[in-house]
């Protein structure tokens, strides 16, 4: 299988696509075609474990670039937590993607990417650079923690992440270094780009970036769409997924699953007030905008990076987009009401992102005549957004032991002003 940039100027194999992340022409890597799974796989699906599904699906994308045994080992390590489809109401299920080490769905992609990078770099020392505004950094840190040969540098904006998020970034030790930058997230991202393109640093080290555009973060996110079917197809009803979307990586992975043959009835792309994609589906015009701050802040994206991948999947055809995806945008007020309602009526606690997805299912059911099972992707544990959830539900949220453990550890960070030369010197002198 070849991997081709969405801007068509570059073509390579999966190993290079994963180690590079971004193509030289600025595009994102896509498989040259979407592989098909056979009917035997689908007939057998309800009997397969999450790990077996992961192996079968990943194998299609990775081909002979990795042996079956190595791939099985990696999949078993990555998927060592549950992804249950939990009943909210008669026809609505929550696919809980937050049972991994940092309690957000980004664990799935980051853990797989970390192991694939380590496998393909063949033990050669490598420095991974990641700028973060919060959740991504900890999933990346957790994914790479203890991986031999790899040093991770996380750049985060001082005073601009939540106290719990900061602990999740700064308490790893070992091969994870937290660089606390006196600046904004944009400064961190600019510094990361400067590091990655600096000639002297690139001569000294193998550098790579761990941001969300890496194809290795997308592939494993398709596994759990199959897994949801394995759990829910027994009801014999059409299955509709509502995906709370920001950069649209999660949704794009769902589209991969459907194009591989999974009979998904409908995708709903649910967004907060950052509504570039719902507007695009309404008007046919794609208009990037500056992002707005909301309570579902992991989806505050004004120019979703995976839009380019979706365009290539649909050959730039707006009517194809519309055939697969319904898209709706919701305000913070609506999101809070949904959290309240689901708690009162069904005794289930949604985080703000999951609540946006819940609203997408409600809105879709108003226009659909079909008796369907709606699956919302619950992308984070409510305790990650404890301030909002407690404020809305007026009750205490229990912090799971896994998150509490971060709170108990001591912060270790190295402080910098937003100045490239001092960060560069640190990287050189550090080892
Ligand atoms: C990143 C994130 C999202 C958005 O996922 P995309 O793949 O960027 O669309 C939704 N919810 C949570 C909790 C996230 O961390």
């Amino acid at each position: 299988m070849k991997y081709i940039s969405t801007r068509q100027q570059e073509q390579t194999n999966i190993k290079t696509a994963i180690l590079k992340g971004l193509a030289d022409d600025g595009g994102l890597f896509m498989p040259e075609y979407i592989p098909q799974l056979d009917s035997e796989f689908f007939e057998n699906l309800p009997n397969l474990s999450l790990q077996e599904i992961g192996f079968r699906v990943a194998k299609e994308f990775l081909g002979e670039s990795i042996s079956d045994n190595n791939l099985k080992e990696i999949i078993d390590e990555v998927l060592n937590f549950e992804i249950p489809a939990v009943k909210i109401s008669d026809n609505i299920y929550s696919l809980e993607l937050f049972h991994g080490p940092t309690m957000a769905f980004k664990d799935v992609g980051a853990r797989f990417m970390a192991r694939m990078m380590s496998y393909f770099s063949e033990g050669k020392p490598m420095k991974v650079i990641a700028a973060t505004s919060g959740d991504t950094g900890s999933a990346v840190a957790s994914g790479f923690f203890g991986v031999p040969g790899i040093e991770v540098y996380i750049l985060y904006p001082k005073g601009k992440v939540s106290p719990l998020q900061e602990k999740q970034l700064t308490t790893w030790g070992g091969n994870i270094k937290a660089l606390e930058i006196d600046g904004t997230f944009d400064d961190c991202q600019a510094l990361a780009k400067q590091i990655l393109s600096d000639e002297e640093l690139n001569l000294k080290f193998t550098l790579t970036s761990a941001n969300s555009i890496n194809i290795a973060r997308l592939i494993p996110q398709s596994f759990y769409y199959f897994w949801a079917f394995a759990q829910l197809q027994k009801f014999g009803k059409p299955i509709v997924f509502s995906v709370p979307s920001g950069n649209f990586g999660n949704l794009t992975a769902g589209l991969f699953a459907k194009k591989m043959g999974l009979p998904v009835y409908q995708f709903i792309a649910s967004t907060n007030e950052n509504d570039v994609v719902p507007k695009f589906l309404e008007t046919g015009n794609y208009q990037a905008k500056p992002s707005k701050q909301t309570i579902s802040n992991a989806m505050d994206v004004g120019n979703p990076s995976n839009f380019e991948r979706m365009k290539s999947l649909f050959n730039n055809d707006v009517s194809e987009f519309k055939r697969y995806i319904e898209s709706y945008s919701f305000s913070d007020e609506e999101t809070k009401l949904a959290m309240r309602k689901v708690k009162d009526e069904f005794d289930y606690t949604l985080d703000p992102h999951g609540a946006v997805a819940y609203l997408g299912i409600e809105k879709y059911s108003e226009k659909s005549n079909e008796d369907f099972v709606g699956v919302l992707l619950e992308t984070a544990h409510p305790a990650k957004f404890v301030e909002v959830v407690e404020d809305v539900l007026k009750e205490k949220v229990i912090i799971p032991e896994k998150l509490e453990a971060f709170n108990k550890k001591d912060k270790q960070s190295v402080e910098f002003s937003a100045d490239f030369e001092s960060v560069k010197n640190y990287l050189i002198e550090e080892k």
Side-chain angles (χ1 to χ4, degrees), residues 272-343:
N272 57 30
E273 287 190 34
N274 294 282
D275 59 356
V276 179
V277 172
K279 278 273 175 320
F280 163 73
L281 287 171
E282 202 182 302
T283 64
N285 262 329
Y286 182 82
Q287 193 88 55
K289 305 185 223 182
S291 64
K292 281 188 218 150
Q293 203 176 340
T294 73
I295 57 167
S296 48
N297 62 350
M299 312 196 297
D300 294 350
V301 180
N303 188 12
S305 49
N306 283 293
F307 187 74
E308 206 163 314
R309 282 203 171 101
M310 293 198 285
K311 255 193 344 198
S312 104
L313 273 177
F314 295 134
N315 298 318
N316 246 328
D317 179 346
V318 184
S319 63
E320 274 294 282
F321 259 100
K322 287 190 176 164
R323 211 156 64 79
Y324 282 75
I325 305 168
E326 288 278 331
S327 190
Y328 314 118
S329 146
F330 301 98
S331 69
D332 278 358
E333 272 325 298
E334 291 170 302
T335 306
K336 289 180 183 174
L337 283 173
M339 289 166 70
R340 184 76 265 160
K341 174 185 163 180
V342 171
K343 180 70 185 175

Side-chain angles (χ1 to χ4, degrees), residues 13-177:
N13 56 22
I14 184 71
K15 173 177 166 174
T16 311
I18 290 177
L19 290 178
K20 281 177 78 167
L22 195 67
D24 288 334
D25 61 13
L28 310 189
F29 287 113
M30 282 287 274
E32 65 172 335
Y33 60 90
I34 301 294
Q36 298 298 305
L37 288 157
D38 54 27
S39 55
E40 197 197 320
F41 170 81
F42 287 106
E43 279 155 26
N44 204 21
L45 190 57
N47 308 317
L48 299 181
S49 67
L50 172 61
Q51 293 80 2
E52 286 167 335
I53 291 171
F55 173 76
R56 277 297 309 274
V57 174
K59 182 80 195 157
E60 297 290 333
F61 287 101
L62 296 168
E64 301 304 317
S65 65
I66 178 168
S67 76
D68 285 3
N69 281 341
N70 282 321
L71 182 59
K72 275 205 180 95
E73 205 177 300
I74 287 174
I75 296 280
D76 287 351
E77 267 177 41
V78 169
L79 300 173
N80 70 349
F81 51 87
E82 281 183 72
I83 303 185
V86 174
K87 185 169 176 170
I88 294 184
S89 67
D90 275 349
N91 276 330
I92 302 184
Y93 284 75
S94 167
L95 188 67
E96 294 185 348
L97 300 171
F98 56 68
H99 294 282
T102 73
M103 307 209 86
F105 88 102
K106 294 209 167 62
D107 279 328
V108 178
R111 286 161 73 79
F112 185 77
M113 176 179 67
R115 282 160 182 80
M116 292 313 302
M117 275 187 174
S118 156
Y119 178 81
F120 284 134
S121 65
E122 295 164 353
K124 278 197 237 72
M126 198 161 78
K127 289 188 189 295
V128 175
I129 312 295
T132 185
S133 58
D135 282 342
T136 300
S138 54
V140 167
S142 162
F144 282 106
F145 181 61
V147 175
I150 296 187
E151 298 280 329
V152 180
Y153 299 85
I154 295 172
L155 289 77
Y156 76 96
K158 180 183 169 74
K160 296 191 177 63
V161 299
S162 78
L164 175 62
Q165 281 176 326
E166 182 166 44
K167 288 280 185 159
Q168 285 191 296
L169 296 171
T170 58
T171 58
W172 295 92
N175 62 329
I176 313 290
K177 308 284 184 320

Side-chain angles (χ1 to χ4, degrees), residues 104-106 135 221 244-250 298-299 353 379-380 385:
F105 88 102
K106 294 209 167 62
D135 282 342
Q221 289 178 14
S245 296
N247 261 323
F248 285 77
N250 215 359
M299 312 196 297
H353 305 79
T379 45
F385 300 92

